[in-house]
């Protein structure tokens, strides 16, 4: 049976994927990481879960997250970030600047790219750094 949770792509298929397709995948990956972290952290009230998820996945928060992990990225990952940041974006959501949205798209492209390569250990390491940085900033 085919695994729909983690599709298998050849390196050529992955290279041919647009930045926006990678960001589309990464948007979901990043949100599921946030949701999993929040649920595991004991935030049980649905309204709080939703509100906290939105705060962490909106473009300004993702832009800050990208800034925090940039020094940790290797050359190939930086290439994906660069592609994502330069994607041809047509609509910017209210509450985000163009720059924040470009950075958020870059973060999502990176997370989508890593996910589609099945590099979950790297995803976890980067997400852990983001969460630890956010928690340190909140205190």
């Amino acid at each position: 049976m085919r695994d729909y949770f983690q599709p298998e792509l050849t390196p050529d298929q992955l290279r041919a994927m647009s930045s926006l397709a990678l960001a589309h995948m990464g948007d979901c990956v990043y949100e599921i990481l946030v949701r999993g972290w929040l649920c595991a952290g004991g935030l049980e009230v649905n309204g709080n879960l939703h509100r906290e998820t939105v705060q962490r996945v909106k473009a300004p928060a993702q832009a800050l997250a990208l800034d925090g992990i940039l020094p940790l990225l290797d050359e190939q990952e930086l290439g994906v970030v660069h592609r994502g940041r330069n994607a041809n974006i047509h609509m910017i959501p209210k509450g985000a600047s163009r720059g924040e949205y470009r950075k958020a798209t870059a973060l999502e492209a990176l997370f989508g790219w890593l996910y589609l390569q099945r590099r979950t250990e790297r995803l976890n390491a980067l997400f852990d750094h983001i969460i630890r940085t956010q928690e340190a900033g909140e205190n």
Side-chain angles (χ1 to χ4, degrees):
M1 181 158 90
R2 190 172 175 178
D3 183 357
Y4 293 99
F5 280 102
Q6 285 203 307
E8 285 198 40
L9 300 173
T10 67
D12 287 341
Q13 287 173 310
L14 195 55
R15 263 191 303 280
M17 195 171 284
S18 75
S19 304
L20 291 177
L22 292 174
H24 181 72
M25 187 78 242
D27 177 49
C28 174
V29 171
Y30 192 77
E31 185 161 337
I32 203 163
L33 289 169
V34 168
R35 285 175 180 239
W37 177 76
L38 289 171
C39 287
L43 206 58
E44 297 173 16
V45 179
N46 239 358
N48 290 342
L49 281 172
H50 178 71
R51 192 172 16 265
E52 193 63 30
T53 299
V54 170
Q55 284 299 112
R56 292 177 182 272
V57 301
K58 64 184 180 179
Q62 287 184 345
L64 287 173
L66 178 66
D67 288 341
I69 63 169
L70 277 175
L72 307 176
L73 303 182
D74 65 28
E75 191 175 317
Q76 199 173 22
E77 292 166 344
L78 287 170
V80 174
V81 165
H82 182 72
R83 277 181 56 200
R85 192 175 45 234
N86 291 335
N88 191 9
I89 300 166
H90 297 290
M91 285 184 58
I92 309 297
K94 62 181 178 181
S97 70
R98 178 172 285 283
E100 287 170 332
Y101 196 67
R102 291 172 87 77
K103 285 182 179 182
T105 302
L107 177 74
E108 291 171 349
L110 175 63
F111 273 59
W113 181 76
L114 289 168
Y115 172 80
L116 291 170
Q117 290 186 71
R118 298 178 177 228
R119 293 183 55 196
T120 53
E121 190 173 318
R122 182 64 172 154
L123 280 168
N124 281 316
L126 293 174
F127 186 72
D128 183 65
H129 183 79
I130 290 166
I131 291 302
R132 284 186 290 114
T133 302
Q134 288 175 349
E135 286 181 322
E138 291 173 0
N139 298 329

